[in-house]
């Protein structure tokens, strides 16, 4: 069965974005600061249709992430904030299942990306993604609320947290709204670079 993996970048004080990103269009300078390491690297830039980019250990981890992802799951807010910037050729190049309360016909983009809108919850979206994965991973892209739900429902096998060396002060925290229960994780990866610190954890069980 495919593993369910989540990758998300946070500030040192635990935010995925600043306060301004809590309103449409759900992006702000805090979000762009902590994710700049992604857009500077070759593998992301190639997928997004841009020239150039860095090739280093960070780029190799991004390449691994894309290679292992057979399908993606995200929240509607993430889709709404990204639909226009991603353009006609989004970087996913795989099926993307958007958890939403608003029905919409599938959105077919160039390069192999099709957005499917799932109205019966996160678990249903993950199950649909698993049917499209083969032996690759289901990749939960975000935002914070979707990751929190996946952890709370014990649907995650691996969690990859990328920590940017910056304090945002306020905003949306990745690990708010979790159940009052302790979960022991297996840390299996630590990769450090001047731009970012990568931590990989495995959960004991997932549904």
């Amino acid at each position: 069965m495919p593993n369910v993996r989540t990758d998300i970048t946070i500030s040192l004080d635990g935010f995925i974005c600043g306060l301004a990103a809590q309103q449409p269009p759900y992006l702000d300078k805090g979000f762009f600061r902590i994710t700049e390491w992604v857009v500077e690297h070759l593998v992301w830039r190639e997928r997004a249709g841009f020239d150039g980019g860095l090739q280093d250990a960070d780029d190799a981890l991004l390449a691994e992430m894309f290679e292992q992802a057979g399908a993606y799951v995200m929240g509607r807010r993430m889709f709404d904030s990204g639909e226009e910037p991603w353009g006609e050729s989004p970087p996913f190049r795989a099926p993307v299942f958007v958890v939403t309360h608003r029905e919409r016909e599938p959105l077919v983009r160039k390069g192999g990306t099709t957005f499917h809108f799932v109205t019966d919850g996160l678990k249903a979206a993950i199950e649909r993604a698993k049917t499209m994965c083969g032996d690759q991973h289901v990749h939960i892209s975000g935002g914070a609320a979707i990751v929190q739900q996946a952890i709370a429902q014990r649907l995650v096998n691996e969690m990859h947290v990328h920590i940017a060396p910056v304090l945002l002060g306020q905003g949306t925290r990745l690990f708010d709204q979790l159940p009052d229960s302790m979960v022991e994780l297996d840390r299996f990866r630590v990769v450090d670079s001047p731009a970012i610190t990568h931590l990989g954890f495995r959960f004991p069980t997932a549904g």
Side-chain angles (χ1 to χ4, degrees):
M1 290 291 291
N3 274 347
V4 178
R5 164 180 171 154
T6 183
D7 276 79
I8 200 157
T9 302
I10 62 174
S11 64
L12 183 59
D13 48 350
F15 297 102
I16 67 166
C17 60
L19 283 176
Q22 295 179 354
Q23 303 293 327
Y26 308 118
L27 300 171
D28 72 347
K29 64 181 182 181
F31 171 81
F32 288 115
R33 165 61 188 88
I34 67 171
T35 59
E36 67 182 16
W37 75 275
V38 177
V39 300
E40 289 177 348
H41 281 89
L42 177 67
V43 65
W44 189 92
R45 295 183 67 81
E46 284 183 339
R47 283 174 166 260
F50 299 117
D51 295 329
L54 301 175
Q55 289 182 275
D56 54 19
D58 296 333
D59 190 59
L61 287 178
L62 285 172
E64 175 192 274
M65 180 192 75
F66 283 122
E67 288 167 1
Q68 292 183 353
Y72 295 82
V73 172
M74 68 177 60
R76 184 63 185 252
R77 180 175 291 187
M78 181 174 176
F79 170 79
D80 287 345
S81 66
E83 180 179 10
E84 183 177 343
W86 292 328
E88 291 296 317
S89 299
F92 306 103
R93 301 184 183 180
V96 181
F97 295 87
V98 181
V99 182
T100 180
H101 296 295
R102 291 172 280 163
E103 292 187 358
R104 179 172 171 176
E105 291 298 311
L107 176 63
V108 180
R109 293 299 201 191
K110 297 176 181 177
T113 301
T114 297
F115 294 97
H116 303 270
F117 299 88
V118 181
T119 58
D120 49 352
L122 172 60
K123 188 171 183 179
I126 290 175
E127 290 304 316
R128 288 184 60 183
K130 284 181 177 179
T131 67
M132 307 290 286
C133 273
D135 58 357
Q136 294 175 288
H137 292 331
V138 175
H139 188 289
I140 300 179
S141 299
I146 291 294
V147 174
Q148 291 160 14
Q149 290 176 44
I151 294 172
Q153 296 177 40
R154 297 183 179 272
L155 300 174
V156 182
N157 300 103
E158 291 185 12
M159 179 170 61
H160 297 256
V161 181
H162 313 281
I163 304 174
V166 61
L167 301 173
L168 295 188
Q170 297 187 59
T172 300
R173 288 189 184 276
L174 176 59
F175 295 118
D176 277 351
Q177 310 303 321
L178 293 181
D180 183 17
S181 62
M182 184 168 62
V183 180
E184 295 284 354
L185 305 178
D186 172 26
R187 190 190 69 185
F188 69 92
R189 171 180 285 170
V190 179
V191 179
D192 191 30
S193 76
I196 204 83
T197 299
H198 310 276
L199 302 175
F201 301 92
R202 291 191 180 97
F203 284 77
T205 59

